[in-house]
Amino acid sequence: MAPPMSAGSFLSRLKAEGLTVVEVGDWEHHNRNHKGPWGPVHGVMIHHTVTSGSRRTVEICRDGYSGLPGPLCHGVITKDGRVHLVGYGRSNHAGLGDDDVLRAVIAEKALPPDNEANTDGNRHFYGFECENLGDGEDPWPEAQLDAIERAAVAVCRHHGWTARSVIGHLEWQPGKIDPRGFTMAAMRDRIHERLK
């Protein structure tokens, strides 16, 4: 059982990995905790936003939209490699996913196919939304991929997790395709190398 790190520790860990961090408003207290608990935490989930334009992307991820209130993640990773902190605590990013996948993440084993949506992921995962149209053609600049890697490593270092604790939304919830444009296997390889 891993309690979430404090907001201050989250910020410090990200900066310690060499990331440029932008604090957006009162991010430390912006959350959905009134809807249920946050924690124990077991992993990091990576998403793409299906948006373009950093400012608009950050606003949507902080405020949400009709039918899905914000925050929609903890950090927004824009194409320039900056991490914009928009919330801390429970956030609307993971939704319902597969309990078998969660068990594999906890055990740090290979992931089974995600074929159920029966478990609250918002409770158990740190979430990073990454600015990208998600059409398979919008590029992923190296600065952004590097920031995704470093952000995941920052969380894994704190909790003593391996790269197997980092998953994509598409590996958690049936029907999801994000992130699209790079593979989570390749990203986990990068994370593994940095953690060594």
Side-chain angles (χ1 to χ4, degrees), residues 170-190:
L170 78 170
E171 296 172 307
W172 170 246
Q173 191 177 72
K176 296 297 182 181
I177 64 166
D178 55 315
R180 187 174 179 200
F182 65 88
T183 68
M184 284 307 301
M187 182 54 67
R188 280 190 286 268
D189 285 346
R190 293 175 63 136

Side-chain angles (χ1 to χ4, degrees), residues 10 20 35 40 53 78 86 116 141 171 182:
F10 185 59
T20 300
K35 289 294 185 182
T78 48
V86 296
E116 297 178 288
E171 296 172 307
F182 65 88

Side-chain angles (χ1 to χ4, degrees), residues 78-81 131-132 138-148:
T78 48
K79 285 188 177 288
D80 59 6
E131 178 192 352
N132 192 276
D138 192 14
W140 290 91
E142 178 54 33
Q144 189 178 30
L145 293 172
D146 181 68
I148 295 167

Side-chain angles (χ1 to χ4, degrees), residues 77-192:
I77 301 175
T78 48
K79 285 188 177 288
D80 59 6
R82 293 187 298 166
V83 181
H84 303 255
L85 300 183
V86 296
Y88 204 68
R90 185 182 178 90
S91 69
N92 277 331
H93 74 96
L96 293 176
D98 195 312
D99 59 340
D100 294 327
V101 172
L102 182 61
R103 280 191 284 274
V105 170
I106 292 169
E108 297 195 312
K109 294 185 176 178
L111 299 176
D114 55 327
N115 57 18
E116 297 178 288
N118 59 9
T119 301
D120 175 14
N122 294 334
R123 177 178 183 177
H124 296 300
F125 289 93
Y126 295 89
F128 290 97
E129 286 279 359
C130 307
E131 178 192 352
N132 192 276
L133 290 173
D135 58 5
E137 297 179 13
D138 192 14
W140 290 91
E142 178 54 33
Q144 189 178 30
L145 293 172
D146 181 68
I148 295 167
E149 171 192 329
R150 289 172 186 265
V153 165
V155 178
C156 288
R157 279 199 210 283
H158 177 87
H159 289 291
W161 295 337
T162 72
R164 287 189 182 267
S165 291
V166 183
I167 68 172
H169 200 193
L170 78 170
E171 296 172 307
W172 170 246
Q173 191 177 72
K176 296 297 182 181
I177 64 166
D178 55 315
R180 187 174 179 200
F182 65 88
T183 68
M184 284 307 301
M187 182 54 67
R188 280 190 286 268
D189 285 346
R190 293 175 63 136
I191 291 164
H192 175 74

